[in-house]
Amino acid sequence: MAPLRQGSLPLHRQAELAIRELTTDPQYARGALLPDELTLANRLGVSRGTVRAALARLVSEQWLERKAGVGTRVAVRSAESAMGAWRSFSREMSRQGIHVRMFRLSLKEVVAGDEIAEALRIAPGARIQRLDRVRGWGDTPVLRSRSWFHPRVRFNSDEKFERPLYDIVADASGLTAERAREGFHAEAASAILAKDLRVKSGSPLLLRRHTVFDVRGGPFEFAEVHYVSSRFTLTIDLKREMP
């Protein structure tokens, strides 16, 4: 790990990326404890508070897990995509050694319909950005995501979306994804979806609809994600609340 330098990204974001890179080291991937906050701060040449903020974000993403009196290590996750991975599909797949490929990318300005406007708490007819992405691995598309964004979020027209989406949102608009409201449905592939996902029209798809909220509770993304159910498994981790 090399000392960080002032640049276009805030130091806490640079620290987060550096720690994320550190976790790819085999010893940490196998469960070894990461260096403590002070050691990381000294290596990166930043304050302990900066490192703490970076670690807190990685813990909130379930990339790391911390236990009082023990330390910090890479979180143990299931083999398929878990619900906590809504923040970054590509990052979750990368942890499993799968390189996510972009088959189609489209960013355009559209008019918000009634359903989208209600989800984003804006007036119907407002002009917003819509992002379409078809992704998968190898030569096989696995999902198509279509996201509508609150006017507070504006992407540059030349954005390549090669980094996790919510990192880009945070850097572009200052909004941090805090939670998501999810809903699941079964749906037959339309002609357009069938073409994008290379399946037969009418094939069964899993539709996942979610609204993402920032730390103040304001919605900033409404998305519909269609998965080819035969190519992808979505798991849900549930934890019982103790009385």
Side-chain angles (χ1 to χ4, degrees), residues 91-147:
R91 187 173 286 158
E92 174 69 9
M93 294 300 100
S94 178
R95 292 189 61 183
Q96 300 179 48
I98 298 172
H99 173 69
V100 175
R101 174 185 170 190
M102 186 83 73
F103 288 85
R104 185 171 72 82
L105 172 68
S106 172
L107 177 68
K108 61 175 62 176
E109 187 169 284
V110 298
V111 173
D114 291 344
E115 182 181 22
I116 306 304
E118 181 179 0
L120 296 177
R121 300 177 191 169
I122 58 177
R127 300 199 66 82
I128 57 176
Q129 287 185 315
R130 190 187 79 193
L131 174 64
D132 287 1
R133 292 181 293 172
V134 178
R135 291 173 289 169
W137 37 81
D139 295 324
T140 307
V142 174
L143 65 90
R144 190 201 75 175
S145 59
R146 171 166 286 181
S147 298

Side-chain angles (χ1 to χ4, degrees), residues 12 15-16 19 34-37 40 48-61 64 66 72:
H12 72 274
E16 177 194 334
I19 295 170
L34 269 63
D36 59 34
E37 289 180 358
L40 289 171
R48 191 169 179 175
T50 297
V51 168
R52 185 176 295 117
L55 290 172
R57 181 180 174 93
L58 292 171
V59 169
S60 73
E61 292 185 2
L64 299 178
R66 309 189 77 177
T72 305

